Amino acid sequence: MRRRRLAPLLAVSVTATLAPVLATSTATAAPAASPVTAAPASSSAAKSALDRYVQQKPQWKRCLADAPAEFECATIKVPLDYRAPGGKRIDLAISRIRSTAPDKRHGVLLSNPGGPGGQGLYMPMGMQERLPESARQKYDLIGFDPRGVGKSSPVSCDLEPEEENWLRPYKEETFAKDIAWARDVANKCKEKAGDTLPHITTRNTARDMDLLRAILGEKKISYVGYSYGTYLGSVYTQLFPGRADRFVLDSAIDPARAWRGMIQWWAEGAEPAFDRWTEWAAARSEEYGLGGTPKEVERTFWDLVAQADEKPIEMDGWANTGDDIRSGIRAAVFTPQYATEGVVELKKAAAGEPASAEKLAAFTGSEGAGTAGTAGTEGGAGAARAAEIPSDNLTASMLAVVCGDNSAVWSRDPESYRRDAIEDKARYPLFGDFASSIKPCAFWDRSVEPATKVSNKVSSLVVQNEWDSQTPLGSGQALHSVLKGSKMLTVLGGEGHGVYPNGNACTDGTVNDYLLTGKLPAKDVTCEATADSNAEARKNQKRDLLPGSPLPQRAPDRF
């Protein structure tokens, strides 16, 4: 059986109260407020240290020899620990594409692709490609690799590929080994990067964004964040409400469920999607032959799982167990036709007949989702540049955030994970045990700061598909409810993770109007998905990584 290397998820969470420091003038004409720090307000040394960071002047240069000349990169320094800004410094890799019409320029537009662990340095190229010209005139497009990620002082735990497989089904006979694996991963991370990992948090990344704002000489920032990026954006609005301008939060995380609860939502959200799929397939039984009623379609699927549990089914050169099939169908059922075609081919493979490798991709993982070792590379020269980044960086940086943002949600008792996994597999048969079983976070060090409660009235636009396998509709609704100044755009019938832009005049028009004018819709907006917009969303999930799109390639085990 093959070893699956699963790349990290994308998610949420931050920490306690912060105190502002002195305002500082930067190289541009308008003065920009200095970022807040976790140091006491009375600490003149801390204020002086942050002032020195703000005075940095980025040395912009062409990012890549094969990239457009207007795409510039630089590296700035940020404090590893904002509570002690005079201490160790780390790199933050940043990029920009200037406004195409300086006389119409409104400000800067930052972006984040998701993760945690997703690289954002090359996002301006994708944003430039797909934003309307009117928006490109309005903004300097700013990208950055979050701290600990990619070219921003990347972290590593020296993990082997199999150790990165962090979503494991519960089995009585393997649970002791899973506990040992989780403990070993946490220990390896502590040994390799124990001084750094506690500070690779969403809260500190939000502080980095505000320091970048000050260095750029801007009073406010605008922002487009996808998936985990919605949590990062909402944390920024909580910590820096007066510095948030136009914030688009696409495919949203529920801040109250970061992080364990968001992973468990994958299991909860899959069940209604599975029921929707069985109805869809049953209504087309003459074409697909999976059963004439939803119950018959369901029985066809679980019979295949049982067969694979007894003897793995050979698919596209891989031996797939029942657990592999359960894991694969979880995300596939959010697009009923995709799931149906995959199960048809699975039936053929189970019978020893030739099957379409392309349509089996939901189960084999051979299409779309990249591995932890390649995610975040940039185009043709990606392999060479990826060599500069530790092969486990995506996983290590993901664990730092998921485990370290809010350690309070992770039990220290391994037996509690056994109980939860057994209970949740019964409630959510597709994925409940994967989501609830033990993770390295059970053995992670305590968070250096408490989690931030997101609740504010900052203007923002929450954008959400109805059928999203990674951030279900309820997650977006939850974020909208705590961002009391937000409006929500819901795409009824929308399938896929990541909405904007998708070619739908209703969705794209609503987001573009907000970015261009700063005016939110008068009330929440409901758009109807089209066949083309759903196809675009699915294409975004399979697209080669940046710079071809503002959306990263989506693996089914990250946000």
Side-chain angles (χ1 to χ4, degrees):
M1 192 187 311
R2 76 187 185 279
R3 299 194 304 173
R4 290 176 179 259
R5 183 175 187 172
L6 299 178
L9 51 81
L10 282 69
V12 272
S13 181
V14 304
T15 46
T17 59
L18 301 174
V21 298
L22 297 173
T24 304
S25 178
T26 65
T28 59
S34 296
V36 289
T37 173
S42 60
S43 172
S44 59
K47 295 175 183 178
S48 177
L50 276 175
D51 285 346
R52 289 194 293 272
Y53 281 103
V54 173
Q55 295 299 330
Q56 294 179 86
K57 295 179 174 59
Q59 301 300 305
W60 297 103
K61 60 182 180 180
R62 189 171 185 168
C63 288
L64 304 168
D66 55 350
E70 67 268 20
F71 181 42
E72 302 175 300
C73 287
T75 301
I76 60 173
K77 296 291 183 181
V78 298
L80 174 64
D81 183 354
Y82 276 88
R83 299 170 303 172
K88 184 178 179 180
R89 305 185 302 168
I90 58 175
D91 290 340
L92 191 74
I94 62 175
S95 62
R96 73 176 178 188
I97 297 177
R98 291 179 182 269
S99 158
T100 58
D103 58 321
K104 298 180 180 180
R105 181 184 181 277
H106 173 74
V108 294
L109 181 67
L110 277 68
S111 53
N112 179 274
Q119 290 181 248
L121 188 67
Y122 295 89
M123 282 194 74
M125 292 182 67
M127 299 295 279
Q128 179 192 46
E129 177 185 302
R130 306 189 74 200
L131 286 175
E133 175 60 24
S134 53
R136 291 168 56 193
Q137 292 176 347
K138 282 278 188 181
Y139 296 102
D140 292 347
L141 306 177
I142 305 296
F144 66 101
D145 283 348
R147 58 169 49 211
V149 174
K151 295 185 178 181
S152 293
S153 295
V155 295
S156 170
C157 297
D158 279 346
L159 299 178
E160 297 297 326
E162 181 60 25
E163 292 177 303
E164 296 187 63
N165 181 359
W166 64 277
L167 284 170
R168 300 180 174 214
Y170 172 78
K171 292 185 180 299
E172 174 65 31
E173 62 271 23
T174 62
F175 189 63
K177 292 182 179 178
D178 291 338
I179 293 174
W181 156 78
R183 182 184 288 111
D184 288 347
V185 167
N187 286 340
K188 288 183 73 171
C189 288
K190 186 173 182 177
E191 291 168 6
K192 176 68 176 180
D195 293 338
T196 300
L197 288 176
H199 307 291
I200 307 301
T201 63
T202 302
R203 190 181 188 89
N204 279 336
T205 298
R207 291 171 175 144
D208 292 341
M209 289 169 57
D210 201 60
L211 179 57
L212 176 57
R213 171 202 59 77
I215 289 171
L216 295 174
E218 300 292 332
K219 292 183 178 180
K220 293 186 176 185
I221 62 170
S222 294
Y223 176 82
V224 176
Y226 297 91
S227 199
Y228 165 73
T230 67
Y231 181 66
L232 174 60
S234 66
V235 167
Y236 185 91
T237 67
Q238 190 67 31
L239 301 184
F240 308 98
R243 299 169 190 171
D245 191 2
R246 304 169 187 182
F247 270 53
V248 177
L249 307 175
D250 187 328
S251 305
I253 297 292
D254 176 359
R257 297 192 64 160
W259 274 101
R260 192 176 186 225
M262 279 306 306
I263 300 169
Q264 290 172 320
W265 214 329
W266 287 346
E268 297 170 40
E271 296 301 322
F274 183 85
D275 293 343
R276 173 178 177 246
W277 165 66
T278 61
E279 294 175 1
W280 192 95
R284 296 159 180 78
S285 60
E286 291 188 6
E287 181 178 358
Y288 295 108
L290 297 182
T293 68
K295 283 292 183 184
E296 290 177 357
V297 174
E298 181 178 353
R299 185 161 56 248
T300 296
F301 172 77
W302 287 110
D303 285 348
L304 289 167
V305 170
Q307 178 179 336
D309 278 337
E310 291 185 10
K311 181 182 179 181
I313 298 173
E314 293 289 332
M315 292 188 278
D316 193 24
W318 304 111
N320 282 253
T321 67
D323 291 331
D324 295 330
I325 294 169
R326 287 195 297 126
S327 178
I329 199 69
R330 179 196 71 79
V333 292
F334 285 83
T335 302
Q337 181 174 348
Y338 180 55
T340 302
E341 292 174 348
V343 173
V344 168
E345 298 307 308
L346 176 59
K347 276 186 65 179
K348 294 179 184 177
E353 301 172 3
S356 165
E358 180 181 357
K359 293 181 179 180
L360 283 171
F363 306 105
T364 63
S366 59
E367 175 187 271
T371 66
T374 60
T377 56
E378 324 83 54
R385 285 187 283 271
E388 305 168 7
I389 302 169
S391 62
D392 70 334
N393 176 241
L394 186 57
T395 300
S397 57
M398 178 275 291
L399 289 174
V401 172
V402 170
C403 302
D405 264 359
N406 187 9
S407 61
V409 301
W410 295 100
S411 169
R412 301 311 196 196
D413 177 14
E415 285 303 309
S416 69
Y417 293 93
R418 182 201 301 271
R419 293 192 297 269
D420 288 351
I422 292 171
E423 179 180 334
D424 284 350
K425 185 175 183 179
R427 291 199 296 173
Y428 313 117
L430 290 179
F431 206 70
D433 54 324
F434 285 87
S436 291
S437 194
I438 197 161
K439 310 290 186 289
C441 303
F443 303 100
W444 214 257
D445 284 345
R446 300 288 182 181
S447 299
V448 297
E449 299 180 90
T452 294
K453 179 180 179 180
V454 174
S455 178
N456 62 63
K457 297 181 179 180
V458 175
S459 167
S460 57
L461 181 64
V462 177
V463 183
Q464 189 73 40
N465 273 328
E466 180 181 11
W467 296 101
D468 181 338
S469 62
Q470 307 304 91
T471 54
L473 177 60
S475 180
Q477 292 169 335
L479 180 62
H480 175 40
S481 70
V482 297
L483 294 179
K484 299 174 177 60
S486 69
K487 291 295 186 289
M488 185 166 181
L489 189 167
T490 304
V491 186
L492 291 181
E495 299 172 355
H497 186 53
V499 178
Y500 174 79
N502 64 6
N504 183 317
C506 178
T507 59
D508 290 358
T510 302
V511 176
N512 288 337
D513 285 348
Y514 174 54
L515 287 175
L516 291 173
T517 68
K519 295 180 181 179
L520 285 169
K523 57 183 180 179
D524 291 343
V525 177
T526 299
C527 297
E528 296 282 348
T530 66
D532 287 344
S533 65
N534 277 343
E536 182 67 13
R538 291 192 293 274
K539 184 169 68 173
N540 283 335
Q541 293 187 237
K542 300 173 185 177
R543 190 185 304 276
D544 288 340
L545 284 162
L546 307 175
S549 167
L551 297 177
Q553 191 174 16
R554 301 293 188 186
D557 62 336
R558 54 183 166 131
F559 294 103

